[in-house]
Amino acid sequence: MAGFRRNDDAHGPYPPPSPQPQPQQPYYGGGYTPPYPQQSGSGPQGGYGYGDGGYAGDGYGDHYGDGYADDGYADDGYAEPQPPPQPKLHWKELLTGIIFRPSPTFWTMRDYPMWGTALIVSFLYGLLAVFGLDDVRQSILDTTTSALIPYLLVTGVAMVLGSLLLGTVTHNLARQFGGNGLWAPTAGLAMLIMALTDVPRLALALFMGGGAPLVQILGWATWLGAGALLTMMVSRSHEIAWPKALAASAIQLVAILALVKLGTI
């Protein structure tokens, strides 16, 4: 009995458990170690533990871990969504923005037509542009009022149609060069650029005459400014490189020089 009790004290009422066989670790080849959980934020050096950065040390940490930890789409190859279109500018902000803030103005207005502003400004520009040419101005001043009004109206309408045609040509050339812009915004902005950039020269020509040296110098400067603005506008509106945008604007620039400023320059 004593021996029996000593045996119970040593081993308990149940027989000792038999050792369980350890599962054989699969062979992966090349010294690959299967992933195992880690307590810290990253696995051991050269290991494959789970952490804040995903798989540490295997080249996938930055691609999967960090991107999904932030917003799920940071580094997974998807482009950031484009911002929504900005609201259409008021005509005052549009006219001042073309001269003083051209780049954001062109980005904003590339999706909006501006026919009212473009037609009115081009028509007023056509009424005054003839006074910048010395010979034409003198002949106009010698005519009677009854004959002057129809003449000015015709020149205003002709300026509107001409600038619209040139803007359309610029748009079509930009599309041929791979642009994706819309016709109405491109033509409207081109019409406004053509008129607004010539205002300084025209203002001096009304008082000093188109043949004055200062007027001629200012005419060349404003023509170069028109080229820069047209190139920037076409580049923003059609999302093409500036050499292609300049090539698309070349015909309109030559026409501006020949039709409007050649008589004074």
Side-chain angles (χ1 to χ4, degrees), residues 182-227:
L182 302 176
W183 167 69
T186 304
L189 288 172
M191 294 170 66
L192 291 175
I193 292 172
M194 178 178 174
L196 294 178
T197 53
D198 198 38
V199 169
R201 180 201 68 87
L202 184 59
L204 287 181
L206 292 177
F207 300 98
M208 302 177 59
L214 180 59
V215 175
Q216 295 182 13
I217 295 175
L218 189 58
W220 281 110
T222 55
W223 181 74
L224 293 176

Side-chain angles (χ1 to χ4, degrees), residues 1 54 64 112 117 124 126 136 142 150 152 154 158 189-190 220 262:
M1 296 299 293
Y64 290 97
Y112 299 104
T117 305
L124 296 177
V136 178
D142 293 338
L152 293 179
V154 170
L189 288 172
W220 281 110
L262 191 59

Side-chain angles (χ1 to χ4, degrees), residues 30 35 78 108 111-112 135 140 143 146 158 163 170 202 214 221 244 250 257 265:
Y78 290 97
T108 301
D111 298 320
Y112 299 104
D135 297 336
I140 291 177
T143 59
S146 59
S163 59
T170 299
L202 184 59
L214 180 59
K244 294 182 179 180
L257 184 63
I265 297 177

Side-chain angles (χ1 to χ4, degrees), residues 74-142:
D75 297 322
D76 58 356
Y78 290 97
E80 183 179 356
Q82 294 294 330
Q86 298 296 322
K88 185 178 181 179
L89 297 177
H90 189 263
W91 68 270
K92 294 181 180 179
E93 298 176 348
L94 173 61
L95 296 181
T96 57
I98 291 177
I99 302 301
F100 300 104
R101 300 177 304 276
S103 183
T105 300
F106 296 150
W107 276 120
T108 301
M109 297 302 295
R110 65 183 297 240
D111 298 320
Y112 299 104
M114 61 215 71
W115 289 123
T117 305
L119 294 176
I120 293 174
V121 172
S122 298
F123 181 77
L124 296 177
Y125 172 65
L127 295 180
L128 299 176
V130 293
F131 293 97
L133 305 175
D134 292 340
D135 297 336
V136 178
R137 180 179 59 179
Q138 189 61 38
S139 62
I140 291 177
L141 295 178
D142 293 338

Side-chain angles (χ1 to χ4, degrees), residues 51-79:
D52 295 338
Y55 296 94
D58 63 347
Y60 295 92
D62 294 338
H63 185 73
Y64 290 97
D66 295 341
Y68 287 100
D70 294 332
D71 55 5
Y73 297 96
D75 297 322
D76 58 356
Y78 290 97

